[in-house]
Amino acid sequence: MPAPRRAAGSGAAPEPPKKRKAGQQSHTNKALTARAIEIVASREDVRDAVAWCASTGQGAKAAMRTGNFPHATLGKVRQALLQGSTACDRDHHLQILTNLERIRVAEWALACADNHKPQGNAAISEKIREVLRARHAANKKRKYGKGCVRLNKCETQAVNSQGVLSHTFFSHFYAWCRAKEVGIELGVDRAQDVRRARKMKESTVQNHFYGEFGLEAELVHAGIMDPTTKVIGDPRRVLNADETPQPLDMAQKGRKAKVAKRQGSAVRTSDTENKETLTVNMCWDLSGFNYGVQLVTKRKTLSDDMLIAAPAGAGQFDDKIDLAHLQLRSCLISRTKEGIQTEESFIQYLKAVDAWVTQRSEAEVEAGGEAILRPVVLMLDNHASRFALWRRCARRS
């Protein structure tokens, strides 16, 4: 039977439910972190209030009248007193992992991300089970005596389960860590070219070339470009170098899974288990001359998978200059922890380029040409290894 219609003049019609505006979701990282901060502050104040009551022998009302526990409520303090909850190993009796274990798991995930081996929720779930099994074994060794923290119901279910822990657990786990000032969040690897394209606006490019400290000002200051005609006198004095990663194994394909990373930072790679790379750095000048190559690897020795049979008639790295083919056949091999350019390997490369320019200048003079005047300008991108060198020079000055 249809509902009767509202009679005229009997009151205003009920308002339709309002739609939630964009940015007001309660499940965003920002909202979850804010909620976790409130919960953590409340539980810490309740714990402190219980400890105060135990030390003074007074009740919950006396603790609340002190005003030292603003985030606690009278009901929560009374409940904690009835339960005898004064332990500070965890914020909730059904919490998976103690507070200290959670901090250690989060720090482990961040250390993996910093070493360019980020872990997803599946690997973190296995790490959590490993921690719980280790605690259970330690409890049995102590015969569940003093200092033991027994596994609660949720922890027992997590140990006996298989696969990834629930999405709800991880969303609250990451928020709890951020509330404890451990900056961790989920993220995916984004292409470096995409991030650069967002920053390379027309104004940025114009500033690179014609700004106060742009390329044109640098060339004029070095005496390479005529300030009036804007013509470069000797193209051999303008060099450009850049690195590119060279995978040694099969590149990752398919959709990239989310992994734990440091909050606000980019993920360098999503899975490096079967994706080892080295860095190839090469340099040319405006005349087309190639100044050798730098290989940055984390290996101490070159294995067979890095060596291939060169075709017949191919050149070799003999540290000689070939002015006819505009190349210097030199190879600098630098070793770093992760096979990427660092401050130390970049300084090695700068010293090598300086020696290579001198070597070519001497060869030009011997061939009847002109020497390469100094200074020369080496154009580079804004890789972190360059800024580390700049910071060192700033500290020394």
Side-chain angles (χ1 to χ4, degrees):
M1 182 176 179
R5 293 184 178 181
R6 183 182 296 273
S10 60
E15 297 181 358
K18 295 182 179 180
K19 294 183 178 180
R20 179 177 290 170
K21 296 182 180 179
Q24 293 184 352
Q25 292 87 353
S26 60
H27 299 288
T28 61
N29 281 346
K30 186 176 180 180
L32 289 173
T33 304
R35 177 59 179 159
I37 291 175
E38 295 177 0
I39 294 175
V40 168
S42 174
R43 289 171 179 171
E44 288 179 350
D45 278 4
V46 169
R47 189 183 302 116
D48 294 341
V50 171
W52 183 88
C53 293
S55 62
T56 60
Q58 302 186 47
K61 286 187 176 180
M64 297 305 298
R65 281 197 295 265
T66 61
N68 298 330
F69 318 106
H71 300 285
T73 61
L74 180 61
K76 291 181 179 179
V77 175
R78 283 178 172 174
Q79 182 181 9
L81 288 173
L82 290 175
Q83 294 176 351
S85 176
T86 58
C88 59
D89 50 14
R90 65 183 86 205
D91 291 341
H92 193 269
H93 66 283
L94 293 179
Q95 174 180 299
I96 297 179
L97 298 178
T98 63
N99 293 351
L100 181 59
E101 290 172 346
R102 285 192 166 200
I103 295 297
R104 289 178 177 176
V105 170
E107 290 177 348
W108 168 81
L110 291 178
C112 293
D114 293 340
N115 293 328
H116 315 310
K117 296 179 181 179
Q119 305 295 328
N121 288 347
I124 297 178
S125 299
E126 286 300 320
K127 183 67 174 180
I128 291 174
R129 294 190 186 94
E130 178 184 337
V131 172
L132 293 176
R133 294 190 188 102
R135 195 211 304 168
H136 180 64
N139 290 341
K140 291 179 64 177
K141 187 175 181 180
R142 295 181 179 181
K143 297 182 179 181
Y144 296 95
K146 185 178 181 180
C148 292
V149 181
R150 294 175 177 266
L151 270 64
N152 57 33
K153 179 181 177 181
C154 294
E155 290 176 334
T156 304
Q157 293 176 353
V159 171
N160 297 329
S161 65
Q162 295 180 354
V164 186
L165 297 180
S166 67
H167 172 75
T168 303
F169 164 76
F170 277 107
S171 61
H172 290 87
F173 169 73
Y174 293 133
W176 182 91
C177 293
R178 291 192 292 269
K180 292 289 186 176
E181 299 182 354
V182 180
I184 185 172
E185 63 181 359
L186 283 177
V188 296
D189 186 16
R190 297 186 180 274
Q192 183 71 16
D193 293 339
V194 175
R195 293 196 296 268
R196 289 178 177 177
R198 293 177 180 176
K199 298 179 181 179
M200 285 297 108
K201 301 179 181 179
E202 182 65 24
S203 58
T204 305
V205 176
Q206 292 292 328
N207 187 56
H208 284 335
F209 281 93
Y210 307 111
E212 181 181 0
F213 303 101
L215 178 60
E216 181 181 289
E218 178 64 23
L219 294 177
V220 172
H221 177 74
I224 300 175
M225 174 183 286
D226 185 273
T228 304
T229 62
K230 308 298 181 182
V231 175
I232 296 177
D234 189 354
R236 301 174 302 173
R237 298 176 61 187
V238 183
L239 291 74
N240 182 35
D242 197 9
E243 300 97 342
T244 182
Q246 177 60 47
L248 298 181
D249 299 321
M250 181 66 68
Q252 175 178 310
K253 295 182 179 180
R255 185 177 180 181
K256 298 178 180 179
K258 287 189 175 183
V259 292
K261 67 181 186 69
R262 197 170 293 278
Q263 189 177 11
S265 63
V267 184
R268 189 172 296 277
T269 180
S270 297
D271 187 5
T272 58
E273 183 178 358
N274 295 315
K275 188 180 178 183
E276 182 183 354
T277 62
L278 59 83
T279 301
V280 180
N281 188 13
M282 302 191 71
C283 177
W284 282 266
D285 64 15
L286 292 187
S287 67
F289 189 89
N290 178 20
Y291 282 97
V293 61
Q294 180 195 28
L295 301 179
V296 184
T297 177
K298 67 177 182 180
R299 299 191 181 188
K300 295 182 179 180
T301 58
L302 300 181
S303 55
D304 294 337
D305 59 343
M306 297 179 65
L307 304 176
I308 59 174
Q316 58 182 350
F317 294 116
D318 53 8
D319 296 329
K320 294 183 180 180
I321 290 182
D322 188 350
L323 295 178
H325 293 87
L326 297 177
Q327 62 181 359
L328 192 153
R329 295 189 294 266
S330 293
C331 180
L332 172 66
I333 299 180
S334 303
R335 180 178 178 271
T336 62
K337 184 178 180 180
E338 297 297 332
I340 61 175
Q341 192 79 280
T342 62
E343 176 184 354
E344 290 75 14
S345 61
F346 180 60
I347 293 176
Q348 294 175 5
Y349 180 68
L350 289 181
K351 294 179 179 179
V353 170
D354 181 69
W356 291 342
V357 172
T358 302
Q359 185 178 354
R360 184 200 175 186
S361 179
E362 294 174 352
E364 293 277 7
V365 174
E366 291 179 1
E370 296 182 357
I372 300 177
L373 300 179
R374 296 300 186 102
V376 297
V377 172
L378 176 61
M379 296 183 291
L380 300 162
D381 57 9
N382 57 346
H383 190 262
S385 58
R386 289 51 147 156
F387 291 99
L389 177 63
W390 177 82
R391 286 192 295 268
R392 174 186 289 187
C393 295
R395 288 194 298 267
R396 289 180 177 178
S397 61

